[in-house]
Amino acid sequence: MRFITVILLFSALGLTASGCFKHAVEVRERMPDIIWPNPPEIPRIRFVNSISAPEDLYIKEGALKRFFRFLKGSERKSLLAPYGVEMDAEGRLFVVDTSNRNVHVFDSRKGDYYTFPDEAASFTSPIDVAIDREGNIFVTDSKEAVVKVFKDHGKKYIKELGRELLQRPTGIAVNEKTHELLVVDTGNSEIIRYDLDGYKVKGIIGKNGSEAGMFHYPTNVFVSGDGHIFVSDSLNFRIQIFSPDWKFLKAFGKPGDGPGYFARPRGVAVDSDGNIYVADALFDNVQVFDKEGRLLMDFGGSGHGYGEFWLPSGIFIDADDRIYVSDSYNKRVQVFQYMKGDEFLRQ
């Protein structure tokens, strides 16, 4: 009897799927045309999309996946508290969800969506994600004080790093120029350098303090295409910049409540022109600086509408200068486009 019931359910799902197949690509509500700065200035940033669930990228769940999820009694989850965000070389978007304690994977090219890990490699408090050239995926777990390593686009757990060394790992990045994995240990106010071949510790950068090269509760790290390293030195209210061999180059920022100042700098990223983007969790905006740390503009603001933020955290910029911002308390990732136009943003 159970077998017959399962067959009937599967058939119903199949019929539903075939009936919906012609409408697999439904038209979402038109996104508003929001740009920064406002006219008459030349627009440089345009709002593109808001991602809370697979449907926001036109990813539809197939009948077979719905069937097996039905058998497991599980629900399809949306983003609840996104933080780390990254894209691999094949265009898959990885979003760390600290509340769901998993990583969402959106593959819009193949129309696929899934989450990881399984129970064998479950997270306690995942924060950030990084991906190397070989496709290995690294996720920090702040409360468990480890970095967990996956392959096969997150579907296979490999190992963990840093147990009994890390205190509270948060931000993470790969430096392909030096073949290193960089892990921000907020609790120890330092950055751990791992060799990507054998995952051996190559060195430890920084210590607690306010001098150049020191950190006070750093949170995020980003590596530009030329190997330069950008660190959100959060409670020193600044961004520090290092060469690929960790020579201190410069720092910018100070505490304050106006443009060009920081309250809680979190995610940091760099576009193709070298402009530096910093998400500030208390200002609810993203500030954009030139290579010298001079403020160019900001976008966003407090709120729940498109182009507004509530505790923004992680930020990632892809090869096409699309900017992905984890809008944590609004339970979404917002996407923006840096527009070069006839002139560059930097002056």
Side-chain angles (χ1 to χ4, degrees):
M1 182 67 181
R2 177 178 174 82
F3 177 76
I4 294 173
T5 303
V6 168
I7 293 297
L8 289 173
L9 284 169
F10 185 75
S11 299
L13 286 169
L15 288 171
T16 302
S18 62
C20 294
F21 179 77
K22 294 180 181 178
H23 306 285
V25 181
E26 296 177 0
V27 178
R28 292 187 66 206
E29 61 177 299
R30 182 177 176 83
M31 294 290 103
D33 189 17
I34 307 173
I35 58 173
W36 295 266
N38 291 322
E41 297 186 62
I42 299 173
R44 295 304 184 190
I45 304 294
R46 169 168 273 127
F47 170 76
V48 175
N49 199 0
S50 176
I51 303 169
S52 298
E55 290 76 14
D56 296 327
L57 290 171
Y58 305 104
I59 298 173
K60 299 294 182 180
E61 187 175 37
L64 190 60
K65 282 191 175 182
R66 291 202 308 274
F67 173 67
F68 283 113
R69 184 163 54 80
F70 168 79
L71 291 182
K72 292 180 180 179
S74 59
E75 295 181 358
R76 198 180 195 191
K77 295 182 177 179
S78 306
L79 296 178
L80 283 184
Y83 194 111
V85 57
E86 182 91 2
M87 183 173 286
D88 69 9
E90 297 174 332
R92 297 178 188 85
L93 182 66
F94 293 75
V95 182
V96 178
D97 193 324
T98 61
S99 184
N100 277 324
R101 295 188 294 180
N102 61 10
V103 179
H104 301 254
V105 184
F106 303 88
D107 188 349
S108 57
R109 296 183 183 181
K110 295 184 178 180
D112 191 22
Y113 163 82
Y114 57 93
T115 63
F116 73 88
D118 56 24
E119 294 181 0
S122 59
F123 293 127
T124 304
S125 179
I127 300 294
D128 202 4
V129 58
I131 306 170
D132 68 13
R133 189 175 295 163
E134 306 301 320
N136 296 305
I137 300 165
F138 309 89
V139 182
T140 55
D141 191 316
S142 183
K143 287 186 179 178
E144 202 168 332
V146 296
V147 175
K148 296 193 175 183
V149 188
F150 302 82
K151 65 179 183 179
D152 295 340
H153 317 306
K155 296 177 180 178
K156 184 173 182 180
Y157 173 66
I158 302 176
K159 62 184 300 181
E160 67 175 38
L161 308 174
R163 191 171 291 277
E164 299 183 358
L165 171 63
L166 299 169
Q167 181 177 329
R168 189 157 67 89
T170 50
I172 192 167
V174 169
N175 194 337
E176 294 289 359
K177 291 292 183 181
T178 58
H179 206 59
E180 291 178 349
L181 176 69
L182 309 178
V183 182
V184 177
D185 190 344
T186 299
N188 286 322
S189 291
E190 60 192 19
I191 295 177
I192 313 297
R193 300 166 56 204
Y194 286 93
D195 178 76
L196 279 175
D197 288 325
Y199 302 125
K200 301 295 183 182
V201 176
K202 293 180 64 175
I204 298 176
I205 303 298
K207 61 180 180 179
N208 192 47
S210 58
E211 300 298 319
M214 296 181 179
F215 306 112
H216 189 40
Y217 293 100
T219 54
N220 291 69
V221 60
F222 176 83
V223 179
S224 60
D226 57 6
H228 285 74
I229 303 143
F230 301 76
V231 181
S232 287
D233 189 7
S234 292
L235 290 190
N236 277 325
F237 307 97
R238 66 186 180 184
I239 301 296
Q240 293 199 65
I241 307 175
F242 301 85
S243 67
D245 59 357
W246 284 100
K247 178 183 177 182
F248 173 79
L249 298 178
K250 63 173 64 72
F252 65 90
K254 61 179 66 174
D257 58 4
Y261 293 86
F262 294 128
R264 284 294 183 273
R266 289 289 188 265
V268 57
V270 178
D271 67 23
S272 62
D273 283 334
N275 303 306
I276 305 165
Y277 297 64
V278 183
D280 197 301
L282 288 189
F283 285 166
D284 289 328
N285 70 359
V286 176
Q287 298 189 77
V288 187
F289 302 83
D290 68 10
K291 292 180 179 180
E292 301 303 317
R294 295 171 298 202
L295 179 67
L296 297 171
M297 61 172 291
D298 65 75
F299 62 95
S302 299
H304 311 293
Y306 293 130
E308 297 175 334
F309 300 114
W310 188 13
L311 201 72
S313 50
I315 186 170
F316 174 78
I317 301 177
D318 68 17
D320 296 319
D321 281 327
R322 287 208 167 187
I323 306 154
Y324 301 78
V325 182
S326 290
D327 189 8
S328 296
Y329 277 19
N330 279 325
K331 304 179 182 181
R332 62 190 179 186
V333 171
Q334 295 201 70
V335 188
F336 305 85
Q337 179 70 56
Y338 164 47
M339 300 180 294
K340 296 184 179 184
D342 295 327
E343 300 174 12
F344 293 112
L345 178 58
R346 56 182 180 176
Q347 300 297 323

